[in-house]
Amino acid sequence: MNPLWTYLYNQQRRAGPRPLLCYSPSTSLYFGTGGLVSSCCYNRTPLGRYPDQSIRDIWTGRARQTLCRRISDGDLGGGCNGCGSQIETGNFGAVVAQHFDRWSCHPDHPTSFSFELHNACNLECIMCNGDLSSRIRRYREGRAPLPQTYGAEFVDELDDFIPHLEGTTFYGGEPFLMRIYYPIWERLIARNPDCEITVQTNAAILPDRARALLERGNFHIGLSLDTVRRDSYLSIRRGADFGAVIENARWLAEYSRHHGRPFGISACIMTVNWQDLDDLMRFADDLNAVLYFNTVWEPEHLSLAHAAPDLILQVINHYGFLAARRSLTGPHGQTAAVTSANLAGYIALLGTWYQAALTRNAKAEAAG
């Protein structure tokens, strides 16, 4: 890592400067579909595979220890390139590594778990695929259903670790559709009620069973929402009821406010919805939500990273205007300030994509 970017990243880390760039392998395990176990959702280099190996064997295994050593040497090459590239482009708000700064390091047990146990989902989002959505897998790709790797034995095996956990994260598909998540949430609430339970939801459904659990547990909500313009939303997140999504989003925001917990919105900014950001930012501010910017790499026709330089420059100019107006007229407050910082980081990332697009064009012209 470039020492300058490491320094700049450390200066804005929400937990303050830290000796290591990332604490994920020192604190956490991520359980992915098919039994893949890694250190986090961004690093898909396997540390092991369940049920071929037990959770304990994976935690004490050589692969995790090797990754810890690489991180301690400042080397993000062990599958951590995603965060490394975000740091080196100044898009600090999108650096997933910051999430793990809060958890304690203990050599004998992890203090954080992340779960992406299946692809059960009620939507067919245009930027998604069948590995993450059961509907896409069935209807768009025509593939067989994803096998159920995790069962009751896995939930039982978690019992030894639950008392030590400080935070957990549940991804989809859509988490509130995942039947296996409910017994895990019940055990977390019963055996470790202070543990943070973060759920990343599309808010297209909010079952009564989920609402009841939310009132009992220490749930922190992240909402996946790319636009609040109805036609644009329905063209992206196919299969959703826009009115229900907005109603559920407001319920979840009020739930978070009532319990004094943060609320975040993660947006996929693409070639088809980048002009919608003005309304989305106002919606996030209205709900006192931090807005995060997800990077979309594929499919390429939706990815700004692969767009023509003229389009990227248009987005940069528009977002620069939004950032300038925001700095002059508000809103103000800690949540809004984080959103503004995230926007500035995303503009910096767009700048690197613009330079890369110019380079691509120059090479194509030279070759042709």
Side-chain angles (χ1 to χ4, degrees):
M1 288 293 298
N2 183 306
L4 174 60
W5 284 113
T6 299
Y7 170 79
L8 294 174
Y9 169 62
N10 261 320
Q11 295 313 300
Q12 65 76 57
R13 285 170 89 164
R14 292 186 284 274
R18 305 291 299 276
L20 300 182
L21 285 169
C22 180
Y23 286 86
S24 171
S26 304
T27 63
S28 307
L29 289 178
Y30 157 86
F31 300 93
T33 55
L36 174 72
V37 183
S38 59
S39 63
C40 81
C41 65
Y42 257 35
N43 187 335
R44 300 304 175 101
T45 301
L47 303 179
R49 187 174 294 275
Y50 183 90
D52 299 341
Q53 298 161 273
S54 69
I55 300 173
R56 177 67 62 188
D57 287 343
I58 294 170
W59 176 254
T60 59
R62 181 177 298 177
R64 189 189 70 86
Q65 295 172 13
T66 299
L67 182 58
C68 287
R69 286 194 295 270
R70 293 190 71 162
I71 296 293
S72 67
D73 292 336
D75 177 6
L76 296 184
C80 299
N81 313 74
C83 283
S85 64
Q86 300 286 10
I87 292 172
E88 292 189 328
T89 56
N91 190 24
F92 300 134
V95 179
V96 175
Q98 291 196 84
H99 176 75
F100 302 96
D101 286 352
R102 297 180 298 149
W103 312 132
S104 303
C105 297
H106 196 288
D108 294 334
H109 54 75
T111 52
S112 170
F113 277 163
S114 298
F115 302 92
E116 192 173 345
L117 302 187
H118 202 254
N119 69 340
C121 191
N122 51 336
L123 302 184
E124 299 179 54
C125 302
I126 60 175
M127 63 289 194
C128 195
N129 60 66
D131 292 333
L132 300 175
S133 167
S134 56
R135 287 188 61 86
I136 292 175
R137 192 177 184 94
R138 178 180 180 182
Y139 296 111
R140 188 192 303 173
E141 299 175 352
R143 290 196 281 164
L146 197 67
Q148 292 278 1
T149 303
Y150 304 92
E153 298 83 1
F154 175 76
V155 178
D156 289 339
E157 197 170 332
L158 292 173
D159 279 343
D160 288 341
F161 300 91
I162 283 176
H164 307 290
L165 293 176
E166 299 170 7
T168 55
T169 303
F170 293 82
Y171 300 103
E174 168 50 44
F176 291 135
L177 274 180
M178 303 261 195
R179 285 179 291 180
I180 192 172
Y181 283 171
Y182 286 87
I184 297 175
W185 291 334
E186 291 282 6
R187 295 192 189 202
L188 283 166
I189 293 169
R191 303 194 62 199
N192 189 353
D194 292 331
C195 178
E196 289 186 14
I197 305 172
T198 298
V199 176
Q200 189 67 33
T201 177
N202 60 37
I205 62 165
L206 194 54
D208 290 342
R209 185 183 182 189
R211 293 178 190 244
L213 275 171
L214 288 172
E215 295 297 346
R216 293 168 47 212
N218 182 16
F219 282 85
H220 293 229
I221 301 299
L223 172 63
S224 298
L225 184 68
D226 318 299
T227 177
V228 290
R229 296 180 183 177
R230 182 181 183 279
D231 290 346
S232 181
Y233 177 88
L234 294 176
S235 71
I236 293 171
R237 296 196 172 253
R238 296 174 178 173
D241 179 329
F242 178 72
V245 169
I246 297 302
E247 180 182 345
N248 289 337
R250 294 190 182 281
W251 190 94
L252 291 167
E254 175 57 26
Y255 162 86
S256 301
R257 186 203 64 77
H258 177 75
H259 291 280
R261 297 168 190 158
F263 182 59
I265 296 176
S266 296
C268 293
I269 305 299
M270 299 172 285
T271 57
V272 295
N273 70 326
W274 65 268
Q275 293 173 307
D276 302 352
L277 183 61
D278 315 49
D279 293 338
L280 181 59
M281 290 184 71
R282 280 193 291 270
F283 183 75
D285 292 334
D286 184 51
L287 298 188
N288 195 35
V290 173
L291 184 60
Y292 299 95
F293 297 83
N294 289 338
T295 299
V296 175
W297 294 106
E298 55 185 28
E300 289 191 4
H301 73 278
L302 296 176
S303 172
L304 287 171
H306 297 286
D310 289 349
L311 175 58
I312 300 175
L313 185 59
Q314 188 179 356
V315 179
I316 291 172
N317 290 336
H318 182 61
Y319 286 6
F321 170 77
L322 291 181
R325 185 180 67 190
R326 189 175 177 85
S327 67
L328 293 173
T329 63
H332 304 290
Q334 182 177 1
T335 300
V338 176
T339 295
S340 296
N342 291 346
L343 176 59
Y346 190 68
I347 294 171
L349 179 61
L350 286 164
T352 67
W353 292 345
Y354 175 66
Q355 293 300 323
L358 291 176
T359 301
R360 283 198 307 270
N361 279 11
K363 289 182 177 178
E365 291 176 3

